[in-house]
Amino acid sequence: TANSPFYDLTLAVAMFVGRFAVIIPMLAVAGSLSQKKVHPAGDAAFPVHGVLFVTLLIGVIILVGALTFFPTLTLGPVLEHLEMLRGAFY
């Protein structure tokens, strides 16, 4: 029974606020960043146009992707083994 005027209006307001309450501060941040002065790169700056940067970027992407699936790939067989010891076979 969620199809009532109260729920319809409440959800509409929540969607409106959830969408535009995030956009407005982000536009303010973008405006603030556009007003910043550009500083020249110093000796400690990391160049982003070389092979080292591309290699590190690809490595980080692969590492984060692997860590996303690692718990499932490791805990799945462990759980199945514990279920097998309990007597449940699949």
Side-chain angles (χ1 to χ4, degrees), residues 61-85:
I61 291 171
I62 290 173
L63 182 67
V64 170
L67 289 175
T68 301
F69 293 106
F70 183 70
T72 304
L73 294 175
T74 56
L75 293 178
V78 171
L79 180 64
E80 285 184 7
H81 183 72
L82 292 175
E83 289 288 323
M84 182 186 68
L85 293 177

Side-chain angles (χ1 to χ4, degrees), residues 19-73:
R19 177 163 299 193
F20 292 108
V22 175
I23 291 174
I24 292 171
M26 285 301 106
L27 286 174
V29 169
S32 171
L33 288 174
S34 69
Q35 298 297 324
K36 285 183 71 171
K37 294 181 181 178
V38 177
H39 297 287
D43 292 336
F46 190 72
V48 295
H49 57 273
V51 177
L52 178 63
F53 177 76
V54 172
T55 305
L56 289 175
L57 179 66
I58 291 172
V60 167
I61 291 171
I62 290 173
L63 182 67
V64 170
L67 289 175
T68 301
F69 293 106
F70 183 70
T72 304
L73 294 175

